[in-house]
Amino acid sequence: MQGVSLAINLGRRGGTRRLAFVSAVVSLIAVFAAVGSTIPLFNIYRAEDGFTNADISLTVVAYSAATLSTLLVLGRLSNHVGRRPPAIASLGLLVLGCLLLLNVHDIGILIAGRLLMGLGAGLASSTLTAYIVDAAPARPTWLASVASSQTVMLGLAVGAIASGALVQFGPWPRDLIYLVVIGLLLLSAALVAISPETVTPRPGGWRSLRPSVRVPVRVRHLLPVAAAVLLATWATGAFYQAFVPALVADQLHTNNSLVLGLVFAAYMGPSALGAPLGGRFSPAAAQRIGMIAFLAGWIGLITAISTGALPLFIAATIIAGAAQGIAISAATRGLLYGSTLPDRAPTFAVVYLLSYSGATVPSLISARLSTIFALPQIALGYGGLALVATLFTAAAAHNPHTRDDQEQPEF
């Protein structure tokens, strides 16, 4: 009877952890579906409200800057108060952002709504990703790193496609997608609320609010290449948010919102498919393979932009998207090597600090330059960044040190 009781308890524990894993994945998809839902509306805002490419780029900067600030201050909070309270708070911030975006007719409202989304996404990036890794099944071994790094991309793709379809074919084109996303966010909050906690609350929550950027010593040598991968790939994601709506309309000659959503999803969606492929290789090899293919995608993108070839643009986008999935998941897998539960939230905070730095700084520069240079010239600049990151990754990528397996994590 004692053996039967133990088996039942283990089964219940496994079932509740599966619920936590599913809730965290669904919630992270909902967060970034909300973020991606705005993108197909950018051309409507440009046409109906007179927003410029520089205005749209500044909304990307506001979103990314808010995310960076949240990660710096709140990136370790879930280690002290548990995963669920910050996760529910992040979903609430996204709901507030969507409510604000229901009435966009001024660039200040759009910036404010995106800023609220950035605050929520920053809190979710460190908390929900750590929650996913805490609750992930042990097999397959790549599942934790792929789910934590690629659910973001999947959410962005889902949000962009759903938004494009509803804008193009549904009623209330400026509002309906936000109402749908609000419902998904509220459902996600309910799922998290009934899911088990994976962290025992402990003192030090207030001290954790002091800005801090650190990863375990055992993987610190992997950080430069991970930074190159994350900066280049997330800069490209920001390029798609800020400039691809105008490129699709002006250079590729279509105003269809669904096409715009599909083009953006063609970059984000394949990332989730490419990530498991990277699990077949060591982290260093996968980063090299991913970044070389990423650069090949950028060469195709620049060629398509200069010739106005939409099919080539979509094909190159898919290649770049799958390649970034390989490279990002490999970089994340390396940084998570040998991680303990307290390591995870700080490590993901660093991962997303690098990611959103890649989204913020080039966007800020390109927003200034968009009044001087044409979009094809700005695309060349992003392609140059991809080239530099690829060369550095090919030369400097390393695997985690297996000799450190027995060491305690240091900070």
Side-chain angles (χ1 to χ4, degrees), residues 140-169:
T141 56
W142 49 260
L143 180 60
S145 65
V146 170
S148 57
S149 65
Q150 298 307 311
T151 301
V152 171
M153 307 301 178
L154 180 60
L156 288 167
V158 168
I161 293 174
S163 179
L166 292 178
V167 169
Q168 190 67 33
F169 303 113

Side-chain angles (χ1 to χ4, degrees), residues 9-378:
N9 288 334
L10 288 173
R12 286 175 178 169
R13 187 180 306 167
T16 57
R17 289 183 72 86
R18 281 193 294 272
L19 174 61
F21 178 73
V22 170
S23 298
V25 169
V26 169
S27 297
L28 199 59
I29 290 174
V31 166
F32 285 94
V35 173
S37 67
T38 313
I39 294 162
L41 286 158
F42 282 157
N43 277 347
I44 291 181
Y45 299 150
R46 286 201 313 154
E48 297 182 3
D49 300 304
F51 297 169
T52 66
N53 291 334
D55 291 334
I56 297 300
S57 190
L58 285 176
T59 69
V60 176
V61 172
Y63 164 80
S64 301
T67 305
L68 283 169
S69 302
T70 307
L71 286 165
L72 278 171
V73 177
L74 302 177
R76 297 173 295 151
L77 182 63
S78 69
N79 279 352
H80 299 275
V81 302
R83 306 296 192 212
R84 294 192 304 163
I88 293 172
S90 72
L91 294 163
L93 286 167
L94 266 295
V95 169
L96 291 177
C98 289
L99 289 172
L100 196 58
L101 293 177
L102 287 171
N103 186 33
V104 173
H105 293 288
D106 178 84
I107 189 60
I109 296 296
L110 181 56
I111 289 174
R114 293 290 286 177
L115 189 144
L116 279 171
M117 285 186 166
L119 294 174
L123 189 54
S125 295
S126 61
T127 302
L128 285 172
T129 48
Y131 199 20
I132 287 171
V133 175
D134 293 348
R139 293 287 185 273
T141 56
W142 49 260
L143 180 60
S145 65
V146 170
S148 57
S149 65
Q150 298 307 311
T151 301
V152 171
M153 307 301 178
L154 180 60
L156 288 167
V158 168
I161 293 174
S163 179
L166 292 178
V167 169
Q168 190 67 33
F169 303 113
W172 319 314
R174 296 172 66 112
D175 301 325
L176 182 56
I177 182 59
Y178 296 129
L179 296 173
V180 171
V181 168
I182 287 169
L184 180 59
L185 290 167
L186 293 175
L187 173 62
S188 300
L191 283 173
V192 172
I194 64 173
S195 296
E197 182 58 73
T198 56
V199 171
T200 302
R202 58 190 176 92
W206 286 111
R207 289 195 303 274
S208 75
L209 301 183
R210 289 180 297 183
S212 177
V213 179
R214 53 192 178 187
V215 295
V217 168
R218 65 178 175 273
V219 295
R220 202 165 289 170
H221 68 290
L222 304 177
L223 206 53
V225 170
V229 169
L230 295 167
L231 289 170
T233 53
W234 279 67
T236 300
F239 169 80
Y240 270 76
Q241 289 188 55
F243 295 108
V244 165
L247 276 172
V248 169
D250 302 337
Q251 304 293 130
L252 304 176
H253 315 299
T254 178
N255 288 309
N256 188 297
S257 296
L258 179 56
V259 170
L260 174 55
L262 289 170
V263 168
F264 182 76
Y267 179 66
M268 296 300 176
S271 181
L273 300 177
L277 297 177
R280 300 174 180 269
F281 305 94
S282 69
Q287 286 175 94
R288 290 190 181 102
I289 293 168
M291 289 306 292
I292 290 170
F294 180 72
L295 179 60
W298 254 111
I299 292 171
L301 289 172
I302 291 170
T303 303
I305 291 169
S306 63
T307 60
L310 181 58
L312 176 59
F313 188 88
I314 293 175
T317 294
I318 292 171
I319 291 170
Q324 77 155 356
I326 295 172
I328 291 174
S329 64
T332 305
R333 179 158 49 103
L335 293 175
L336 286 174
Y337 180 80
S339 68
T340 60
L341 191 145
D343 297 342
R344 291 166 189 163
T347 298
F348 277 114
V350 170
V351 166
Y352 284 104
L353 278 169
L354 293 170
S355 301
Y356 283 106
S357 295
T360 304
V361 176
S363 293
L364 188 58
I365 295 171
S366 59
R368 299 274 184 169
L369 295 179
S370 66
T371 60
I372 303 171
F373 296 104
L375 290 183
Q377 294 170 307
I378 291 174

